[in-house]
PDB file of all heavy atoms in Angstrom:
ATOM      1  N   ARG A 916      83.725 154.656  78.582  1.00 96.00           N
ATOM      2  CA  ARG A 916      82.472 154.442  77.788  1.00 96.00           C
ATOM      3  C   ARG A 916      81.307 153.844  78.631  1.00 96.00           C
ATOM      4  O   ARG A 916      80.167 153.756  78.232  1.00 96.00           O
ATOM      5  CB  ARG A 916      82.798 153.438  76.639  1.00 96.00           C
ATOM      6  CG  ARG A 916      83.898 153.944  75.816  1.00 96.00           C
ATOM      7  CD  ARG A 916      83.781 154.013  74.362  1.00 96.00           C
ATOM      8  NE  ARG A 916      82.594 153.750  73.682  1.00 96.00           N
ATOM      9  CZ  ARG A 916      81.905 154.634  73.000  1.00 96.00           C
ATOM     10  NH1 ARG A 916      82.356 155.867  72.977  1.00 96.00           N
ATOM     11  NH2 ARG A 916      80.803 154.289  72.395  1.00 96.00           N
ATOM     12  N   ARG A 917      81.568 153.481  79.881  1.00 97.00           N
ATOM     13  CA  ARG A 917      80.532 152.950  80.752  1.00 97.00           C
ATOM     14  C   ARG A 917      79.551 154.039  81.169  1.00 97.00           C
ATOM     15  O   ARG A 917      79.991 155.159  81.514  1.00 97.00           O
ATOM     16  CB  ARG A 917      81.139 152.231  81.965  1.00 97.00           C
ATOM     17  CG  ARG A 917      82.052 151.095  81.604  1.00 97.00           C
ATOM     18  CD  ARG A 917      82.690 150.538  82.850  1.00 97.00           C
ATOM     19  NE  ARG A 917      83.592 151.483  83.434  1.00 97.00           N
ATOM     20  CZ  ARG A 917      84.205 151.293  84.556  1.00 97.00           C
ATOM     21  NH1 ARG A 917      84.026 150.206  85.304  1.00 97.00           N
ATOM     22  NH2 ARG A 917      85.026 152.263  85.064  1.00 97.00           N
ATOM     23  N   LEU A 918      78.316 153.739  81.244  1.00 96.00           N
ATOM     24  CA  LEU A 918      77.324 154.613  81.709  1.00 96.00           C
ATOM     25  C   LEU A 918      77.125 154.512  83.215  1.00 96.00           C
ATOM     26  O   LEU A 918      77.006 155.594  83.915  1.00 96.00           O
ATOM     27  CB  LEU A 918      75.954 154.357  80.965  1.00 96.00           C
ATOM     28  CG  LEU A 918      74.771 155.227  81.468  1.00 96.00           C
ATOM     29  CD1 LEU A 918      75.085 156.662  81.150  1.00 96.00           C
ATOM     30  CD2 LEU A 918      73.522 154.724  80.734  1.00 96.00           C
ATOM     31  N   ILE A 919      77.163 153.372  83.784  1.00 95.00           N
ATOM     32  CA  ILE A 919      77.064 153.116  85.217  1.00 95.00           C
ATOM     33  C   ILE A 919      78.403 152.486  85.721  1.00 95.00           C
ATOM     34  O   ILE A 919      78.874 151.552  85.097  1.00 95.00           O
ATOM     35  CB  ILE A 919      75.933 152.114  85.510  1.00 95.00           C
ATOM     36  CG1 ILE A 919      74.620 152.628  84.851  1.00 95.00           C
ATOM     37  CG2 ILE A 919      75.766 151.890  86.939  1.00 95.00           C
ATOM     38  CD1 ILE A 919      73.996 153.842  85.514  1.00 95.00           C
ATOM     39  N   VAL A 920      78.930 153.006  86.770  1.00 96.00           N
ATOM     40  CA  VAL A 920      80.168 152.614  87.328  1.00 96.00           C
ATOM     41  C   VAL A 920      80.036 152.353  88.852  1.00 96.00           C
ATOM     42  O   VAL A 920      79.163 152.933  89.463  1.00 96.00           O
ATOM     43  CB  VAL A 920      81.307 153.577  87.065  1.00 96.00           C
ATOM     44  CG1 VAL A 920      81.602 153.736  85.574  1.00 96.00           C
ATOM     45  CG2 VAL A 920      81.052 154.904  87.715  1.00 96.00           C
ATOM     46  N   PRO A 921      80.866 151.495  89.433  1.00 96.00           N
ATOM     47  CA  PRO A 921      80.816 151.338  90.881  1.00 96.00           C
ATOM     48  C   PRO A 921      81.242 152.623  91.596  1.00 96.00           C
ATOM     49  O   PRO A 921      82.086 153.405  91.039  1.00 96.00           O
ATOM     50  CB  PRO A 921      81.852 150.223  91.241  1.00 96.00           C
ATOM     51  CG  PRO A 921      82.209 149.647  89.893  1.00 96.00           C
ATOM     52  CD  PRO A 921      81.858 150.622  88.802  1.00 96.00           C
ATOM     53  N   LYS A 922      80.693 152.884  92.715  1.00 94.00           N
ATOM     54  CA  LYS A 922      81.111 154.028  93.519  1.00 94.00           C
ATOM     55  C   LYS A 922      82.537 153.813  94.011  1.00 94.00           C
ATOM     56  O   LYS A 922      83.063 152.768  93.858  1.00 94.00           O
ATOM     57  CB  LYS A 922      80.163 154.288  94.683  1.00 94.00           C
ATOM     58  CG  LYS A 922      78.800 154.758  94.232  1.00 94.00           C
ATOM     59  CD  LYS A 922      77.997 155.104  95.446  1.00 94.00           C
ATOM     60  CE  LYS A 922      76.609 155.609  94.959  1.00 94.00           C
ATOM     61  NZ  LYS A 922      75.792 156.075  96.016  1.00 94.00           N
ATOM     62  N   ARG A 923      83.137 154.847  94.534  1.00 92.00           N
ATOM     63  CA  ARG A 923      84.481 154.809  95.037  1.00 92.00           C
ATOM     64  C   ARG A 923      84.652 153.686  96.064  1.00 92.00           C
ATOM     65  O   ARG A 923      85.601 153.031  96.106  1.00 92.00           O
ATOM     66  CB  ARG A 923      84.943 156.120  95.678  1.00 92.00           C
ATOM     67  CG  ARG A 923      85.079 157.231  94.719  1.00 92.00           C
ATOM     68  CD  ARG A 923      86.289 157.121  93.888  1.00 92.00           C
ATOM     69  NE  ARG A 923      87.477 157.549  94.641  1.00 92.00           N
ATOM     70  CZ  ARG A 923      88.638 157.479  94.123  1.00 92.00           C
ATOM     71  NH1 ARG A 923      88.863 157.085  92.876  1.00 92.00           N
ATOM     72  NH2 ARG A 923      89.671 157.841  94.828  1.00 92.00           N
ATOM     73  N   ARG A 924      83.611 153.454  96.846  1.00 90.00           N
ATOM     74  CA  ARG A 924      83.503 152.358  97.776  1.00 90.00           C
ATOM     75  C   ARG A 924      82.489 151.384  97.156  1.00 90.00           C
ATOM     76  O   ARG A 924      81.229 151.559  97.366  1.00 90.00           O
ATOM     77  CB  ARG A 924      83.054 152.773  99.106  1.00 90.00           C
ATOM     78  CG  ARG A 924      84.030 153.663  99.872  1.00 90.00           C
ATOM     79  CD  ARG A 924      83.565 153.971 101.240  1.00 90.00           C
ATOM     80  NE  ARG A 924      84.537 154.787 101.890  1.00 90.00           N
ATOM     81  CZ  ARG A 924      84.329 155.329 102.988  1.00 90.00           C
ATOM     82  NH1 ARG A 924      83.211 155.167 103.664  1.00 90.00           N
ATOM     83  NH2 ARG A 924      85.279 156.140 103.592  1.00 90.00           N
ATOM     84  N   PRO A 925      82.931 150.402  96.345  1.00 86.00           N
ATOM     85  CA  PRO A 925      82.021 149.547  95.569  1.00 86.00           C
ATOM     86  C   PRO A 925      80.864 148.957  96.431  1.00 86.00           C
ATOM     87  O   PRO A 925      79.790 148.694  95.935  1.00 86.00           O
ATOM     88  CB  PRO A 925      82.861 148.541  94.985  1.00 86.00           C
ATOM     89  CG  PRO A 925      84.233 149.221  94.870  1.00 86.00           C
ATOM     90  CD  PRO A 925      84.309 150.112  96.047  1.00 86.00           C
ATOM     91  N   ALA A 926      81.069 148.703  97.720  1.00 92.00           N
ATOM     92  CA  ALA A 926      80.045 148.149  98.524  1.00 92.00           C
ATOM     93  C   ALA A 926      78.883 149.134  98.688  1.00 92.00           C
ATOM     94  O   ALA A 926      77.785 148.663  99.101  1.00 92.00           O
ATOM     95  CB  ALA A 926      80.636 147.846  99.920  1.00 92.00           C
ATOM     96  N   MET A 927      79.086 150.371  98.328  1.00 93.00           N
ATOM     97  CA  MET A 927      77.977 151.375  98.484  1.00 93.00           C
ATOM     98  C   MET A 927      77.110 151.425  97.285  1.00 93.00           C
ATOM     99  O   MET A 927      76.148 152.187  97.229  1.00 93.00           O
ATOM    100  CB  MET A 927      78.571 152.750  98.730  1.00 93.00           C
ATOM    101  CG  MET A 927      79.385 152.856 100.034  1.00 93.00           C
ATOM    102  SD  MET A 927      78.451 152.578 101.508  1.00 93.00           S
ATOM    103  CE  MET A 927      77.413 154.023 101.516  1.00 93.00           C
ATOM    104  N   GLY A 928      77.411 150.692  96.233  1.00 95.00           N
ATOM    105  CA  GLY A 928      76.564 150.647  95.099  1.00 95.00           C
ATOM    106  C   GLY A 928      77.170 151.204  93.784  1.00 95.00           C
ATOM    107  O   GLY A 928      78.448 151.082  93.618  1.00 95.00           O
ATOM    108  N   TRP A 929      76.365 151.820  93.033  1.00 95.00           N
ATOM    109  CA  TRP A 929      76.744 152.237  91.627  1.00 95.00           C
ATOM    110  C   TRP A 929      76.415 153.745  91.542  1.00 95.00           C
ATOM    111  O   TRP A 929      75.633 154.270  92.189  1.00 95.00           O
ATOM    112  CB  TRP A 929      76.002 151.470  90.602  1.00 95.00           C
ATOM    113  CG  TRP A 929      76.355 150.018  90.686  1.00 95.00           C
ATOM    114  CD1 TRP A 929      75.841 149.101  91.558  1.00 95.00           C
ATOM    115  CD2 TRP A 929      77.317 149.342  89.945  1.00 95.00           C
ATOM    116  NE1 TRP A 929      76.385 147.881  91.387  1.00 95.00           N
ATOM    117  CE2 TRP A 929      77.353 147.957  90.385  1.00 95.00           C
ATOM    118  CE3 TRP A 929      78.184 149.656  88.906  1.00 95.00           C
ATOM    119  CZ2 TRP A 929      78.141 146.970  89.778  1.00 95.00           C
ATOM    120  CZ3 TRP A 929      79.028 148.700  88.355  1.00 95.00           C
ATOM    121  CH2 TRP A 929      78.973 147.363  88.798  1.00 95.00           C
ATOM    122  N   THR A 930      77.068 154.357  90.570  1.00 95.00           N
ATOM    123  CA  THR A 930      76.776 155.733  90.208  1.00 95.00           C
ATOM    124  C   THR A 930      76.784 155.944  88.696  1.00 95.00           C
ATOM    125  O   THR A 930      77.209 155.118  88.013  1.00 95.00           O
ATOM    126  CB  THR A 930      77.780 156.705  90.925  1.00 95.00           C
ATOM    127  OG1 THR A 930      77.344 158.077  90.791  1.00 95.00           O
ATOM    128  CG2 THR A 930      79.189 156.553  90.297  1.00 95.00           C
ATOM    129  N   ILE A 931      76.318 157.083  88.267  1.00 96.00           N
ATOM    130  CA  ILE A 931      76.224 157.469  86.882  1.00 96.00           C
ATOM    131  C   ILE A 931      77.584 158.106  86.440  1.00 96.00           C
ATOM    132  O   ILE A 931      78.087 158.852  87.215  1.00 96.00           O
ATOM    133  CB  ILE A 931      75.049 158.374  86.602  1.00 96.00           C
ATOM    134  CG1 ILE A 931      73.765 157.758  86.967  1.00 96.00           C
ATOM    135  CG2 ILE A 931      75.032 158.896  85.204  1.00 96.00           C
ATOM    136  CD1 ILE A 931      72.594 158.646  87.050  1.00 96.00           C
ATOM    137  N   ASN A 932      78.032 157.772  85.247  1.00 97.00           N
ATOM    138  CA  ASN A 932      79.147 158.504  84.660  1.00 97.00           C
ATOM    139  C   ASN A 932      78.601 159.819  83.977  1.00 97.00           C
ATOM    140  O   ASN A 932      78.009 159.765  82.888  1.00 97.00           O
ATOM    141  CB  ASN A 932      79.829 157.602  83.635  1.00 97.00           C
ATOM    142  CG  ASN A 932      81.009 158.315  82.955  1.00 97.00           C
ATOM    143  OD1 ASN A 932      81.320 159.463  83.232  1.00 97.00           O
ATOM    144  ND2 ASN A 932      81.682 157.650  81.992  1.00 97.00           N
ATOM    145  N   PHE A 933      78.801 160.905  84.628  1.00 97.00           N
ATOM    146  CA  PHE A 933      78.301 162.163  84.147  1.00 97.00           C
ATOM    147  C   PHE A 933      79.135 162.734  83.028  1.00 97.00           C
ATOM    148  O   PHE A 933      78.806 163.793  82.436  1.00 97.00           O
ATOM    149  CB  PHE A 933      78.207 163.226  85.288  1.00 97.00           C
ATOM    150  CG  PHE A 933      77.088 162.847  86.296  1.00 97.00           C
ATOM    151  CD1 PHE A 933      77.362 162.251  87.490  1.00 97.00           C
ATOM    152  CD2 PHE A 933      75.772 163.106  85.987  1.00 97.00           C
ATOM    153  CE1 PHE A 933      76.443 161.941  88.373  1.00 97.00           C
ATOM    154  CE2 PHE A 933      74.748 162.737  86.855  1.00 97.00           C
ATOM    155  CZ  PHE A 933      75.086 162.176  88.068  1.00 97.00           C
ATOM    156  N   GLY A 934      80.152 162.076  82.669  1.00 96.00           N
ATOM    157  CA  GLY A 934      80.913 162.420  81.423  1.00 96.00           C
ATOM    158  C   GLY A 934      80.267 162.037  80.163  1.00 96.00           C
ATOM    159  O   GLY A 934      80.628 162.375  79.105  1.00 96.00           O
ATOM    160  N   ARG A 935      79.271 161.192  80.260  1.00 96.00           N
ATOM    161  CA  ARG A 935      78.548 160.656  79.103  1.00 96.00           C
ATOM    162  C   ARG A 935      77.179 161.366  79.024  1.00 96.00           C
ATOM    163  O   ARG A 935      76.531 161.548  80.046  1.00 96.00           O
ATOM    164  CB  ARG A 935      78.242 159.158  79.284  1.00 96.00           C
ATOM    165  CG  ARG A 935      79.454 158.283  79.605  1.00 96.00           C
ATOM    166  CD  ARG A 935      80.454 158.217  78.521  1.00 96.00           C
ATOM    167  NE  ARG A 935      79.866 157.660  77.368  1.00 96.00           N
ATOM    168  CZ  ARG A 935      80.463 157.710  76.126  1.00 96.00           C
ATOM    169  NH1 ARG A 935      81.648 158.212  76.017  1.00 96.00           N
ATOM    170  NH2 ARG A 935      79.842 157.222  75.080  1.00 96.00           N
ATOM    171  N   ARG A 936      76.801 161.758  77.839  1.00 95.00           N
ATOM    172  CA  ARG A 936      75.489 162.500  77.685  1.00 95.00           C
ATOM    173  C   ARG A 936      74.336 161.628  78.171  1.00 95.00           C
ATOM    174  O   ARG A 936      73.428 162.189  78.839  1.00 95.00           O
ATOM    175  CB  ARG A 936      75.293 162.827  76.188  1.00 95.00           C
ATOM    176  CG  ARG A 936      74.050 163.601  75.966  1.00 95.00           C
ATOM    177  CD  ARG A 936      73.880 163.989  74.545  1.00 95.00           C
ATOM    178  NE  ARG A 936      75.007 164.996  74.255  1.00 95.00           N
ATOM    179  CZ  ARG A 936      75.352 165.311  73.019  1.00 95.00           C
ATOM    180  NH1 ARG A 936      74.787 164.758  71.999  1.00 95.00           N
ATOM    181  NH2 ARG A 936      76.341 166.187  72.807  1.00 95.00           N
ATOM    182  N   ARG A 937      74.387 160.338  77.899  1.00 96.00           N
ATOM    183  CA  ARG A 937      73.315 159.459  78.342  1.00 96.00           C
ATOM    184  C   ARG A 937      73.221 159.445  79.904  1.00 96.00           C
ATOM    185  O   ARG A 937      72.176 159.186  80.473  1.00 96.00           O
ATOM    186  CB  ARG A 937      73.500 158.065  77.809  1.00 96.00           C
ATOM    187  CG  ARG A 937      73.097 158.045  76.324  1.00 96.00           C
ATOM    188  CD  ARG A 937      73.105 156.606  75.858  1.00 96.00           C
ATOM    189  NE  ARG A 937      74.465 156.031  75.837  1.00 96.00           N
ATOM    190  CZ  ARG A 937      74.714 154.730  75.763  1.00 96.00           C
ATOM    191  NH1 ARG A 937      73.760 153.853  75.825  1.00 96.00           N
ATOM    192  NH2 ARG A 937      75.954 154.372  75.772  1.00 96.00           N
ATOM    193  N   GLY A 938      74.332 159.748  80.570  1.00 96.00           N
ATOM    194  CA  GLY A 938      74.277 159.792  81.998  1.00 96.00           C
ATOM    195  C   GLY A 938      73.356 160.884  82.526  1.00 96.00           C
ATOM    196  O   GLY A 938      72.559 160.747  83.489  1.00 96.00           O
ATOM    197  N   TRP A 939      73.437 161.995  81.838  1.00 96.00           N
ATOM    198  CA  TRP A 939      72.573 163.166  82.191  1.00 96.00           C
ATOM    199  C   TRP A 939      71.114 162.785  81.850  1.00 96.00           C
ATOM    200  O   TRP A 939      70.217 163.210  82.637  1.00 96.00           O
ATOM    201  CB  TRP A 939      73.014 164.423  81.484  1.00 96.00           C
ATOM    202  CG  TRP A 939      74.273 164.929  82.067  1.00 96.00           C
ATOM    203  CD1 TRP A 939      75.629 164.771  81.593  1.00 96.00           C
ATOM    204  CD2 TRP A 939      74.416 165.653  83.312  1.00 96.00           C
ATOM    205  NE1 TRP A 939      76.434 165.336  82.390  1.00 96.00           N
ATOM    206  CE2 TRP A 939      75.797 165.937  83.442  1.00 96.00           C
ATOM    207  CE3 TRP A 939      73.541 166.158  84.249  1.00 96.00           C
ATOM    208  CZ2 TRP A 939      76.299 166.608  84.534  1.00 96.00           C
ATOM    209  CZ3 TRP A 939      74.000 166.821  85.341  1.00 96.00           C
ATOM    210  CH2 TRP A 939      75.457 167.083  85.492  1.00 96.00           C
ATOM    211  N   LEU A 940      70.892 162.127  80.797  1.00 96.00           N
ATOM    212  CA  LEU A 940      69.586 161.697  80.383  1.00 96.00           C
ATOM    213  C   LEU A 940      68.919 160.698  81.418  1.00 96.00           C
ATOM    214  O   LEU A 940      67.766 160.778  81.788  1.00 96.00           O
ATOM    215  CB  LEU A 940      69.532 161.070  79.052  1.00 96.00           C
ATOM    216  CG  LEU A 940      69.837 162.019  77.852  1.00 96.00           C
ATOM    217  CD1 LEU A 940      69.963 161.261  76.551  1.00 96.00           C
ATOM    218  CD2 LEU A 940      68.806 163.099  77.754  1.00 96.00           C
ATOM    219  N   VAL A 941      69.749 159.817  81.980  1.00 94.00           N
ATOM    220  CA  VAL A 941      69.352 158.883  82.975  1.00 94.00           C
ATOM    221  C   VAL A 941      68.933 159.707  84.227  1.00 94.00           C
ATOM    222  O   VAL A 941      67.919 159.445  84.874  1.00 94.00           O
ATOM    223  CB  VAL A 941      70.450 157.848  83.310  1.00 94.00           C
ATOM    224  CG1 VAL A 941      70.105 157.077  84.634  1.00 94.00           C
ATOM    225  CG2 VAL A 941      70.619 156.885  82.182  1.00 94.00           C
ATOM    226  N   LEU A 942      69.807 160.650  84.661  1.00 95.00           N
ATOM    227  CA  LEU A 942      69.444 161.427  85.782  1.00 95.00           C
ATOM    228  C   LEU A 942      68.148 162.171  85.579  1.00 95.00           C
ATOM    229  O   LEU A 942      67.315 162.235  86.463  1.00 95.00           O
ATOM    230  CB  LEU A 942      70.606 162.416  86.020  1.00 95.00           C
ATOM    231  CG  LEU A 942      70.330 163.411  87.222  1.00 95.00           C
ATOM    232  CD1 LEU A 942      70.197 162.653  88.550  1.00 95.00           C
ATOM    233  CD2 LEU A 942      71.459 164.440  87.316  1.00 95.00           C
ATOM    234  N   ALA A 943      67.985 162.844  84.431  1.00 97.00           N
ATOM    235  CA  ALA A 943      66.717 163.482  84.155  1.00 97.00           C
ATOM    236  C   ALA A 943      65.472 162.555  84.173  1.00 97.00           C
ATOM    237  O   ALA A 943      64.511 162.933  84.727  1.00 97.00           O
ATOM    238  CB  ALA A 943      66.774 164.197  82.702  1.00 97.00           C
ATOM    239  N   GLY A 944      65.657 161.344  83.631  1.00 96.00           N
ATOM    240  CA  GLY A 944      64.603 160.433  83.718  1.00 96.00           C
ATOM    241  C   GLY A 944      64.230 160.010  85.127  1.00 96.00           C
ATOM    242  O   GLY A 944      63.051 159.841  85.472  1.00 96.00           O
ATOM    243  N   LEU A 945      65.214 159.841  85.932  1.00 95.00           N
ATOM    244  CA  LEU A 945      65.000 159.503  87.349  1.00 95.00           C
ATOM    245  C   LEU A 945      64.246 160.616  88.069  1.00 95.00           C
ATOM    246  O   LEU A 945      63.380 160.399  88.888  1.00 95.00           O
ATOM    247  CB  LEU A 945      66.322 159.162  88.019  1.00 95.00           C
ATOM    248  CG  LEU A 945      66.974 157.824  87.607  1.00 95.00           C
ATOM    249  CD1 LEU A 945      68.388 157.812  88.271  1.00 95.00           C
ATOM    250  CD2 LEU A 945      66.168 156.674  88.012  1.00 95.00           C
ATOM    251  N   LEU A 946      64.719 161.801  87.800  1.00 97.00           N
ATOM    252  CA  LEU A 946      64.042 163.024  88.422  1.00 97.00           C
ATOM    253  C   LEU A 946      62.624 163.178  88.005  1.00 97.00           C
ATOM    254  O   LEU A 946      61.680 163.395  88.843  1.00 97.00           O
ATOM    255  CB  LEU A 946      64.833 164.292  88.176  1.00 97.00           C
ATOM    256  CG  LEU A 946      66.178 164.366  88.837  1.00 97.00           C
ATOM    257  CD1 LEU A 946      66.906 165.606  88.359  1.00 97.00           C
ATOM    258  CD2 LEU A 946      65.930 164.418  90.389  1.00 97.00           C
ATOM    259  N   VAL A 947      62.353 162.985  86.668  1.00 97.00           N
ATOM    260  CA  VAL A 947      60.970 163.087  86.155  1.00 97.00           C
ATOM    261  C   VAL A 947      60.091 161.987  86.814  1.00 97.00           C
ATOM    262  O   VAL A 947      59.018 162.258  87.197  1.00 97.00           O
ATOM    263  CB  VAL A 947      60.980 162.996  84.638  1.00 97.00           C
ATOM    264  CG1 VAL A 947      59.510 162.768  84.145  1.00 97.00           C
ATOM    265  CG2 VAL A 947      61.558 164.243  83.997  1.00 97.00           C
ATOM    266  N   THR A 948      60.609 160.763  86.932  1.00 97.00           N
ATOM    267  CA  THR A 948      59.879 159.684  87.476  1.00 97.00           C
ATOM    268  C   THR A 948      59.565 159.957  88.968  1.00 97.00           C
ATOM    269  O   THR A 948      58.476 159.733  89.449  1.00 97.00           O
ATOM    270  CB  THR A 948      60.638 158.397  87.377  1.00 97.00           C
ATOM    271  OG1 THR A 948      60.856 158.136  85.946  1.00 97.00           O
ATOM    272  CG2 THR A 948      59.882 157.249  87.989  1.00 97.00           C
ATOM    273  N   ALA A 949      60.613 160.488  89.668  1.00 97.00           N
ATOM    274  CA  ALA A 949      60.471 160.742  91.111  1.00 97.00           C
ATOM    275  C   ALA A 949      59.420 161.845  91.361  1.00 97.00           C
ATOM    276  O   ALA A 949      58.758 161.868  92.384  1.00 97.00           O
ATOM    277  CB  ALA A 949      61.809 161.197  91.716  1.00 97.00           C
ATOM    278  N   ILE A 950      59.257 162.738  90.422  1.00 97.00           N
ATOM    279  CA  ILE A 950      58.181 163.817  90.557  1.00 97.00           C
ATOM    280  C   ILE A 950      56.849 163.316  90.053  1.00 97.00           C
ATOM    281  O   ILE A 950      55.822 163.619  90.642  1.00 97.00           O
ATOM    282  CB  ILE A 950      58.681 165.118  89.857  1.00 97.00           C
ATOM    283  CG1 ILE A 950      59.963 165.616  90.583  1.00 97.00           C
ATOM    284  CG2 ILE A 950      57.701 166.124  89.789  1.00 97.00           C
ATOM    285  CD1 ILE A 950      60.651 166.697  89.817  1.00 97.00           C
ATOM    286  N   ALA A 951      56.855 162.668  88.885  1.00 97.00           N
ATOM    287  CA  ALA A 951      55.623 162.383  88.210  1.00 97.00           C
ATOM    288  C   ALA A 951      54.806 161.347  88.973  1.00 97.00           C
ATOM    289  O   ALA A 951      53.601 161.384  89.036  1.00 97.00           O
ATOM    290  CB  ALA A 951      55.929 161.878  86.807  1.00 97.00           C
ATOM    291  N   VAL A 952      55.473 160.281  89.524  1.00 96.00           N
ATOM    292  CA  VAL A 952      54.751 159.198  90.140  1.00 96.00           C
ATOM    293  C   VAL A 952      53.959 159.703  91.333  1.00 96.00           C
ATOM    294  O   VAL A 952      52.710 159.427  91.486  1.00 96.00           O
ATOM    295  CB  VAL A 952      55.734 158.041  90.477  1.00 96.00           C
ATOM    296  CG1 VAL A 952      54.992 157.048  91.440  1.00 96.00           C
ATOM    297  CG2 VAL A 952      56.163 157.352  89.263  1.00 96.00           C
ATOM    298  N   PRO A 953      54.515 160.400  92.323  1.00 95.00           N
ATOM    299  CA  PRO A 953      53.787 160.914  93.447  1.00 95.00           C
ATOM    300  C   PRO A 953      52.639 161.855  92.985  1.00 95.00           C
ATOM    301  O   PRO A 953      51.531 161.851  93.561  1.00 95.00           O
ATOM    302  CB  PRO A 953      54.776 161.681  94.294  1.00 95.00           C
ATOM    303  CG  PRO A 953      56.078 161.083  93.918  1.00 95.00           C
ATOM    304  CD  PRO A 953      56.016 160.731  92.472  1.00 95.00           C
ATOM    305  N   LEU A 954      52.830 162.703  92.001  1.00 96.00           N
ATOM    306  CA  LEU A 954      51.856 163.526  91.484  1.00 96.00           C
ATOM    307  C   LEU A 954      50.664 162.788  90.888  1.00 96.00           C
ATOM    308  O   LEU A 954      49.489 163.051  91.113  1.00 96.00           O
ATOM    309  CB  LEU A 954      52.362 164.556  90.417  1.00 96.00           C
ATOM    310  CG  LEU A 954      53.297 165.650  90.976  1.00 96.00           C
ATOM    311  CD1 LEU A 954      53.830 166.464  89.838  1.00 96.00           C
ATOM    312  CD2 LEU A 954      52.551 166.519  91.989  1.00 96.00           C
ATOM    313  N   ALA A 955      50.997 161.759  90.143  1.00 95.00           N
ATOM    314  CA  ALA A 955      49.940 160.877  89.546  1.00 95.00           C
ATOM    315  C   ALA A 955      49.165 160.156  90.589  1.00 95.00           C
ATOM    316  O   ALA A 955      47.951 160.074  90.543  1.00 95.00           O
ATOM    317  CB  ALA A 955      50.571 159.910  88.550  1.00 95.00           C
ATOM    318  N   LEU A 956      49.850 159.650  91.623  1.00 95.00           N
ATOM    319  CA  LEU A 956      49.175 158.958  92.701  1.00 95.00           C
ATOM    320  C   LEU A 956      48.296 159.914  93.539  1.00 95.00           C
ATOM    321  O   LEU A 956      47.174 159.496  93.912  1.00 95.00           O
ATOM    322  CB  LEU A 956      50.187 158.252  93.623  1.00 95.00           C
ATOM    323  CG  LEU A 956      50.958 157.103  93.083  1.00 95.00           C
ATOM    324  CD1 LEU A 956      52.058 156.639  93.944  1.00 95.00           C
ATOM    325  CD2 LEU A 956      49.993 155.945  92.646  1.00 95.00           C
TER     326      LEU A 956
END
């Protein structure tokens, strides 16, 4: 049920659980932000 989980090597940070629908929404939001902010600037 977790949306964000530690990576296989926890010292490397966290990753998204792509088995959850909200995980895909988080990825889409990150991509939109990564594209929209430079375009706006």
Side-chain angles (χ1 to χ4, degrees):
R916 307 229 5 115
R917 298 176 296 174
L918 178 61
I919 305 291
V920 297
K922 290 187 177 185
R923 293 285 283 178
R924 294 183 180 173
M927 299 297 291
W929 299 81
T930 190
I931 298 169
N932 179 0
F933 291 101
R935 310 292 302 167
R936 182 176 295 163
R937 286 189 289 161
W939 289 99
L940 294 174
V941 167
L942 178 62
L945 291 171
L946 289 174
V947 166
T948 301
I950 294 168
V952 168
L954 288 175
L956 292 173

